Amino acid sequence: MSFNYPKNEKLKSKISIGLLFSEGKSVSKYPLRLVYHSGSLNENEKIKMGVSVSKKYFKKAVDRNRFKRILRETYRLNKHILLDNLDKPYAFMFFYQTKERLTYEEINTKTIQLFEKFVNQNLKAE
């Protein structure tokens, strides 16, 4: 298992992001939210992930960047939960939605719970 976050897994396309927000579904585990859309990627890409922290809650870029780094790190270490259970390509956007300054450990446990909730919802839907 490789615990990396390569460039080809980063969600950057304006078209994909627009599609994600217009047609995507969402799952949340406070204070994290995962918006996802399936089938909008090339056949050789299994997953695309973007992260976002609201300017509304963290006015300083230093604070937003810190939480984005934490979100990317928790994704990188726990993406195997998603990859092991996905059968088609997905685009994800990962949000941190609170003013509270949670620790890395708290965010990591919430990320695991969020990914497991997503997997359980998708397995029930199919």
Side-chain angles (χ1 to χ4, degrees), residues 37-83:
H37 185 264
S38 66
S40 61
L41 304 175
N42 298 334
E43 60 277 345
N44 61 346
E45 299 169 334
K46 190 153 184 177
I47 194 169
K48 289 271 192 185
M49 176 68 81
V51 296
S52 178
V53 178
S54 176
K55 202 174 194 179
K56 176 181 172 183
Y57 298 127
F58 297 103
K59 302 293 185 202
K60 295 181 180 176
V62 172
D63 298 329
R64 287 194 303 276
N65 291 340
R66 177 180 181 272
F67 283 100
K68 286 193 281 187
R69 275 196 312 273
I70 291 172
L71 290 178
R72 282 192 295 267
E73 181 69 5
T74 58
Y75 161 72
R76 185 183 72 81
L77 295 174
N78 298 304
K79 72 179 179 178
H80 61 89
I81 297 169
L82 297 173
L83 289 173

